[in-house]
Every structure is written in structure tokens, then in C-alpha cells.
Amino acid sequence: MRKRNYLLSSIAIGASLLLAACGGGSSSEKDDSLGKINLAYVEWDTEIASTHVVGQVLEDIGYDVSLTPLDNAIMWEAVSKGEADAMVAGWLPATHAAQLEKYGDNLVNLGENLSGAKIGLVVPSYMDVNSIADLKDEAGSTITGIEPGAGIMMATEKALEEYPNLNSWSLLPSSSGAMTVALKQAIANEEDIIVTGWSPHWKFASYDLKYLEDPQGVFGGEETINTFVSTKLEEKAPEAYKVLDAFHWTADDMEKVMLEINDGKKPKDAAADWIKENQDIVKQWTADVK
Amino acid sequence: MSNFLNQIPALPVGDAVEKVMDLFTNTFSTVFKFIQTDGTALMDSVTNLLISIPPIIFILLVAILAFFATGKKFGLAIFSIIGLLFIYNQQLWEQLMNTFTLVLFASIVAIIIGIPLGILMSKSTLADNIIKPILDFMQTMPGFVYLIPAVAFFGIGVVPGVFASVIFALPPTVRFTNLGIRQVSKELVEAADSYGSTGLQKLLKVELPIAKSTIMAGINQTVLLSLSMVVIASMIGAPGLGREVLSALQRAQVGNGFVAGISLVIFAIIVDRLTQSLNKKSI
């Protein structure tokens, strides 16, 4: 019985402290805030870099920005429903064609934010094979993939159907991180490996890699990364809309941020550093902001 | 034989489920929207409140609670202080508070739904026969599957995370409540009847007090299961330590994954011991 009193009194102390904290007011929001913006992204190295940079720029002009990492399909759905305000991760025309078809009607496409992107099957340069059509049974007839929901995985599955020499091959889903680890291990042991690759990506700066030729054109040609926002954004946050519309940078810019993050810098810090060093580019994005 | 089997066309089960889900989503969209907006606001304010408590005070509170809850032993109290300081030191405090809010809400909702269901099952064989297979279904369905309707109903963020966690974590509370009440000895129930107690009196004065420790064991299981599910719920945007784990997984960062993982373990041990110690109290 006595024990119980102790418990009750400690709970009472706790509750009173909670109330005291309440009285202090939990004003985590800035008074000059233009409002809340929620950016969705997928934890791919490219999107971690771009989303953190854009998010930081929006923070700097006075928005309260939250970044939500999601699975690819859910990211598209979230923006189309207005759960998230925007994303800068739409790979077109081929990679995310399926998602664009499904959710595109309820999205505003603000055009490309990076051109010269590419997806395909990637191998270390020491492998003799140069074309998908020439693959036989390398790497145990297995392609090392990334998250099952990614567009490149669908494209690779299509390639397994379209290339007759790949009909006994399998695609192994993992994650973007696990894929780069597998790549690193294989290169360290000079083993064969075929991965689902895309650029811009730091792996091309770190290792000697090559894309396999794609005579059937399954992976499409050059890709662009596009910005999509919810249909409500222009009304809700016109200034953010302007910045997202103007947001555009090069593969070199992105790779700088990616490399820093890959070398262990926190994404937020890497983004802030890049912004500091590239004020001229950032000024173009925020030129129309009042 | 195989020819005969191949002649049966694939049953459109998946399509049917999609249609039912769509119907559900559209019919209850206003209700879902309301739960989502208000639930998010409520949970955000709780999280902000928790974050606004100075960590050192929070840690001391937990330690004091642990000290008295475990019968004035120092073990858990010291473990809480060291463990929580470690989490704070790794700059995961805010994530921990987010996870705490999620577990708190998921557990409370699961208990509010679970105990009445368990009582119903213990009182009615029909309900028992109907609900048991549903519970089996809920417990064997992979947790990831619940994320899909959760997004359809409640979008992304904390509310669908709690929804998925509740479904995943509900069964132990229901089962143990049912079991605990059914195990109350017949003699005691007969004695209560012979004194002319009403059904409600019998439940509150005899059955629930005797079944309490079994029910508490179920609640303890529910809390821990909801903790494991809120980690998975980070795939649909639920904030907290789960997000750190997922990000480490997707980027193959062993170190970050370990730190976030060990933080979850510390949190789970504290929550587990505290809920268990509530059970040891003499009534």
C-alpha cells in the first residue's frame, strides 16, 4: 500500500512538472514563419541531396519546413493527395512513367530541376561485357537492385522480359545503400556484379564503372529529374511555389552535395554548405520572392 | 490433374479487396480526414510538449518513477539515466520523444479497444468464436501489409502509423483479458452470484481484480508490439527513431543503424520494466 503512495506522488510530481512545462509554452514555431511546408522524398542519394538543399532554401526565406522520407510510390501518392506539398524527385520520361500515369492528374508539374540524368544497368569497368544483349551468366545471373518500389526496378524487370538472353536471370531487390555496399565488396574482390545504376550518383566518382549498352532501349534515353507539387500549393504558399518552380541545378552541383554526404557529413550541413558557396545560383531561385 | 487445375481462372481476390478498400475510403473519407487532422494536431502538441520538457528533468522523472515502481531498487533507475543520457548524447532526443508519443497513443487506443473486446469474448461464446479467428488473422498477417490501407485511409504521418500499430498490437490485450477472466475460479463466481451481485458488480469486484495480472501481461505485450510497429510505420512517414533506422538501412550505414537500434532497445527495456512493475503491485 505504501509503495502505491510513492508511485502516485511521483506521478503527481510528474504531472505538475508537465503542466509547468505547458505553462512555459511550447512555441517551437517562429512568429515570422510563412507557414508549414512538407517536402516528401525517397532516401536515394540524389534525392537526399536535392531535397535537403531546397528545404534549406525554403527555411531561409521563412518557411517552417519538414522533410518526410517515404517509399517511392507513397511519395507520389502523398503529393497527389496534398498530404505532402511537393517533391523534387520525379524521374522522367521512363523511370517513373507508371507513377506519373497513376497520380499525374492530381499533380502540378513544375518542370525539370536537373537534366542529363540516366538510368541503366551498371558494371565495374573490369568486366568484359559491354551490352545487355551480351550478358550470359555473369554474377550468378543476378542483377543487384534497390528498393522494390523504385522506377528503375520496374524498368529492369521489363528488360528481363525483353532481352531473350536474360530470361533465366533474376533481379534481387535490396536498398540503394545495400546495392552500393554490394558494389563496393565486389570491386574489392574483383568479382562480377551487375547493379541497377543511375546518375548523377557518387558511385561514379568513387569507382570505375560503365553503363551497359541498351540496344532495345528499355531504360530510355536521357532522363530528367522533375519537381512536382500539390495542386493546393500555389494558393497555400505562393513564395514556396515560386522557389520550387525556379529550382534548377546541374549534375555537378548535385554530386558535390552527394559526395559530402557520402563522406559522412550530415545532409542538412552538406546542403547548408553548398548554399553558402553557391549564393549566385540560390539567388536565381529566390529572385521572384518578395 | 494439373491441366484441370490450370483451367480454373485466377480468382479476382486482389481486385475485390481493392474495390472494397476504395469504397471504404470514399464512404468514410470525412471521418478519416477528421481523425487525421485532429489526431495529427493532438499528437504533434503532445510531442512538442514532451520536447519542451528539459531533457535532464525528463530523465530524472523517469529515474524517480523507475526507482519507486521497481520497489526502491536502483537498477532500472540507473539504467534509465545512463540509457536516456546516451540517447540525448547521440542527438536522438527529439526522435525518441516522437517515438514515445506514437507508442503512447497506439497503446492507449489498443487498450481502450482491447479490454472491452476481451471482456465481451469472455462473456459470450459466440463472440469468442467470431473474434478468435480475426485475431489469428491480425497476428499472422505481416505488419507491412497494414501500411497500405493505413496510407489510403489516413495519408502519411503519425495517424496512419498509430492505426497500423493498433491493428498489429491489439491481439495480446484482447486474448489475455479473455483468458484472465475465463480463468477466474468457478467457486468465486458462484459465491458472487449467491450473494446476489449483478453482472457488472461481479465483473468489477471479482473477475477483473483477479484477472488483473494476466491482463497487465497482455498490455505489456501490446506496448512492446506497438513499439516494434511504429518503427515499421516510418515507411509511411511516421517520425521518430524508426526513421533513423530506415534511413540507415536504405543508405547501408551500419553505425547510424546501430545507434538508432540501440536507442530503441534502451527505450523498449525501460517501457517493458515499467509496465511489468505496475503488474507486481499488490492490489
Side-chain angles (χ1 to χ4, degrees):
Chain A
M1 211 56 213
R2 287 198 51 195
K3 268 188 217 160
R4 230 173 161 194
N5 289 339
Y6 278 122
L7 190 68
L8 282 175
S9 58
S10 59
I11 288 172
I13 295 168
S16 54
L17 271 166
L18 270 180
L19 287 171
C22 236
S26 51
S27 57
S28 59
E29 277 181 60
K30 290 171 280 238
D31 293 340
D32 59 348
S33 171
L34 290 170
K36 286 191 165 143
I37 292 283
N38 185 4
L39 298 179
Y41 69 108
V42 189
E43 298 246 20
W44 298 319
D45 302 88
T46 40
E47 275 56 44
I48 292 171
S50 57
T51 310
H52 277 85
V53 167
V54 174
Q56 191 57 51
V57 170
L58 291 174
E59 282 263 349
D60 292 344
I61 61 169
Y63 282 99
D64 183 5
V65 182
S66 52
L67 309 179
T68 310
L70 296 167
D71 185 72
N72 182 38
I74 295 177
M75 166 182 78
W76 283 83
E77 188 182 350
V79 179
S80 75
K81 282 184 167 177
E83 308 276 352
D85 296 304
M87 57 97 159
V88 290
W91 287 62
L92 297 175
T95 316
H96 292 160
Q99 285 84 358
L100 183 67
E101 195 178 334
K102 191 167 176 186
Y103 301 109
D105 296 349
N106 303 318
L107 291 166
V108 181
N109 184 350
L110 291 183
E112 63 178 64
N113 57 56
L114 187 145
S115 53
K118 183 173 161 60
I119 65 169
L121 296 183
V122 171
V123 297
S125 297
Y126 54 73
M127 280 175 68
D128 294 334
V129 67
N130 286 315
S131 165
I132 300 176
D134 300 341
L135 288 169
K136 289 181 192 68
D137 57 355
E138 293 84 351
S141 300
T142 304
I143 296 166
T144 306
I146 56 167
E147 292 83 1
I152 192 172
M153 296 294 279
M154 294 180 195
T156 309
E157 273 160 24
K158 199 165 150 223
L160 292 186
E161 282 167 27
E162 304 232 337
Y163 284 91
N165 56 322
L166 297 186
N167 62 16
S168 63
W169 280 57
S170 55
L171 169 64
L172 186 69
S174 65
S175 72
S176 11
M179 180 273 289
T180 56
V181 171
L183 187 66
K184 184 176 158 187
Q185 297 289 0
I187 289 174
N189 303 324
E190 286 248 345
E191 287 165 352
D192 285 357
I193 185 165
I194 298 130
V195 299
T196 55
W198 64 96
S199 36
H201 191 275
W202 56 264
K203 60 182 176 276
F204 289 96
S206 305
Y207 313 115
D208 196 2
L209 305 169
K210 61 186 179 188
Y211 277 101
L212 292 177
E213 281 160 31
D214 175 23
Q216 306 259 29
V218 175
F219 291 99
E222 193 163 280
E223 290 273 292
T224 57
I225 310 181
N226 296 262
T227 304
F228 286 89
V229 301
S230 106
T231 46
K232 304 169 197 148
L233 183 74
E234 193 170 12
E235 205 176 313
K236 177 186 147 177
E239 306 300 326
Y241 183 92
K242 284 177 198 159
V243 172
L244 286 161
D245 199 7
F247 170 56
H248 188 284
W249 60 345
T250 65
D252 282 350
D253 294 325
M254 191 190 241
E255 277 182 349
K256 270 184 207 142
V257 184
M258 269 197 270
L259 262 175
E260 289 219 322
I261 296 171
N262 195 44
D263 291 343
K265 200 175 262 190
K266 280 215 164 91
K268 200 171 166 57
D269 300 341
D273 290 351
W274 185 90
I275 290 171
K276 230 179 278 161
E277 283 156 25
N278 296 277
Q279 275 299 319
D280 49 336
I281 302 176
V282 177
K283 280 209 174 74
Q284 289 169 12
W285 303 343
T286 55
D288 298 339
V289 177
K290 291 182 199 77
Chain B
M1 188 70 201
S2 67
N3 274 347
F4 164 70
L5 286 180
N6 288 341
Q7 275 165 9
I8 304 171
L11 298 171
V13 176
D15 292 348
V17 173
E18 291 251 346
K19 284 207 173 67
V20 171
M21 289 295 297
D22 282 347
L23 189 73
F24 223 80
T25 314
N26 296 333
T27 316
F28 297 106
S29 64
T30 38
V31 181
F32 289 149
K33 198 87 205 147
F34 168 77
I35 296 176
Q36 191 192 336
T37 338
D38 286 37
T40 308
L42 177 66
M43 289 176 70
D44 281 351
S45 58
V46 170
T47 307
N48 286 334
L49 172 68
L50 287 170
I51 291 171
S52 69
I53 303 171
I56 196 77
I57 293 181
F58 190 95
I59 294 173
L60 283 176
L61 276 178
V62 173
I64 293 167
L65 184 66
F67 177 70
F68 288 114
T70 53
K72 292 204 205 166
K73 292 197 180 70
F74 281 105
L76 183 64
I78 291 171
F79 175 83
S80 312
I81 293 177
I82 295 172
L84 292 173
L85 277 175
F86 169 79
I87 295 174
Y88 180 73
N89 164 276
Q90 294 294 318
Q91 289 153 10
L92 292 172
W93 189 257
E94 215 165 293
Q95 286 85 332
L96 175 73
M97 292 301 121
N98 270 306
T99 300
F100 181 50
T101 310
L102 280 162
V103 172
L104 189 72
F105 275 78
S107 307
I108 289 173
V109 173
I111 290 163
I112 289 174
I113 298 172
I115 289 182
L117 263 184
I119 294 171
L120 177 71
M121 279 171 76
S122 68
K123 296 287 167 201
S124 144
T125 317
L126 176 68
D128 191 48
N129 288 337
I130 294 172
I131 297 175
K132 262 223 173 90
I134 298 176
L135 292 179
D136 292 335
F137 179 89
M138 281 160 79
Q139 276 184 295
T140 46
M141 180 71 90
F144 289 91
V145 177
Y146 297 132
L147 299 179
I148 311 167
V151 173
F153 294 161
F154 302 112
I156 54 168
V158 285
V159 175
V162 166
F163 171 80
S165 302
V166 167
I167 295 183
F168 188 73
L170 182 67
T173 296
V174 181
R175 281 182 202 278
F176 280 59
T177 305
N178 179 18
L179 184 73
I181 295 176
R182 280 176 185 267
Q183 280 180 337
V184 174
S185 73
K186 289 230 172 17
E187 288 83 358
L188 279 167
V189 178
E190 279 170 11
D193 283 335
S194 64
Y195 280 113
S197 59
T198 61
L200 188 65
Q201 280 174 327
K202 202 164 59 177
L203 183 70
L204 294 177
K205 297 261 169 23
V206 180
E207 290 171 327
L208 283 182
I210 292 173
K212 178 171 169 264
S213 69
T214 313
I215 295 174
M216 286 304 294
I219 288 176
N220 171 267
Q221 287 299 303
T222 288
V223 171
L224 291 183
L225 276 178
S226 72
L227 176 61
S228 63
M229 191 65 199
V230 299
V231 174
I232 296 174
S234 287
M235 296 181 91
I236 50 173
L241 289 165
R243 201 180 266 189
E244 302 292 317
V245 173
L246 269 184
S247 145
L249 169 73
Q250 282 173 312
R251 297 162 62 187
Q253 297 167 317
V254 181
N256 288 0
F258 180 80
V259 169
I262 206 85
S263 304
L264 275 163
V265 171
I266 291 166
F267 178 61
I269 290 175
I270 295 171
V271 169
D272 176 51
R273 295 296 181 279
L274 282 178
T275 46
Q276 277 192 16
S277 67
L278 291 176
N279 198 359
K280 292 200 185 83
K281 290 270 163 294
S282 53
I283 305 148

